[in-house]
């Protein structure tokens, strides 16, 4: 049994030393890709790096996560309705914001439940009221 474990240990060390199969390189590449993607999406609009979104004038700029595919600039004049729901599950607790546009296209992003992000959510609700966009809240 010890021979098997010793051989496994040696082969694992050899595998980790091979730069092609080293999982740490993949992790480093993923972190760099995340940083670059987030930085590029924020450069032209301003805002802070960890903000899920920010509002400039009458436009909402979405910075949240990779799954918000497509154009991340949504003017309030194009919004038909906004649904905000509270969800909890395996990934933790968060608010899900679904923006339904007049053209029928929907944008969805998530906001955490810490104090700073809840303030951002309140800022979004005030801006939606100001621009007379219908808001539905669940949860």
């Amino acid at each position: 049994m010890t021979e098997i474990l010793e051989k496994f240990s040696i082969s694992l060390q050899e595998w980790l030393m091979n730069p092609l199969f080293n999982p740490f390189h993949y992790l480093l590449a993923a972190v760099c890709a995340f940083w670059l993607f987030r930085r590029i999406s924020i450069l032209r609009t301003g805002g802070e790096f960890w903000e899920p979104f920010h509002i400039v004038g009458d436009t909402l700029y979405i910075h949240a996560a990779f799954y918000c595919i497509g154009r991340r600039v949504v003017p309030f004049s194009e919004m038909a309705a906004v649904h905000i729901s509270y969800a909890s599950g395996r990934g933790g607790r968060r608010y899900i914001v679904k923006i339904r546009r007049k053209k029928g296209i929907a944008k969805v992003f998530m906001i955490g439940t810490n104090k700073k992000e809840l303030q951002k959510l309140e800022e979004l609700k005030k801006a939606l009221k100001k621009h007379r966009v219908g808001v539905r809240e669940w949860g």
Side-chain angles (χ1 to χ4, degrees), residues 93-110:
R93 289 180 245 159
R94 63 185 64 96
Y95 286 93
I96 300 172
V97 179
K98 181 178 182 182
I99 300 170
R100 196 168 45 95
R101 298 169 70 183
K102 291 177 181 174
K103 295 178 183 177
I105 302 167
K107 290 285 177 191
V108 178
F109 63 96
M110 295 183 196

Side-chain angles (χ1 to χ4, degrees), residues 117-134:
E117 291 182 352
L118 288 177
Q119 289 173 348
K120 292 293 290 180
L121 187 62
E122 289 302 318
E123 180 184 329
L124 176 64
K125 289 177 186 177
K126 287 179 185 176
L128 290 169
K129 278 186 181 179
K130 178 183 171 186
H131 294 283
R132 297 183 180 146
V133 178

Side-chain angles (χ1 to χ4, degrees), residues 63-79:
H63 300 152
F66 289 107
Y67 53 80
C68 187
I69 298 169
R71 205 173 121 215
R72 294 167 174 252
V73 178
V74 184
F76 286 103
S77 60
E78 290 183 11
M79 295 182 192

Side-chain angles (χ1 to χ4, degrees), residues 7-74:
K7 287 181 181 180
F8 176 73
S9 174
I10 291 169
S11 63
L12 182 63
Q13 287 174 358
E14 289 175 1
W15 180 69
L16 288 175
M17 297 305 277
N18 186 345
L20 182 63
F21 298 113
N22 193 333
F24 300 111
H25 290 148
Y26 292 116
L27 178 64
L28 181 63
V31 169
C32 289
F34 168 75
W35 182 85
L36 185 65
F37 181 79
R38 187 85 173 217
R39 194 70 213 145
I40 288 172
S41 70
I42 294 172
L43 271 178
R44 64 188 160 120
T45 64
E48 292 186 26
F49 187 79
W50 292 110
E51 286 182 338
F53 65 89
H54 78 275
I55 300 168
V56 176
D58 64 342
T59 306
L60 176 70
Y61 296 95
I62 303 170
H63 300 152
F66 289 107
Y67 53 80
C68 187
I69 298 169
R71 205 173 121 215
R72 294 167 174 252
V73 178
V74 184

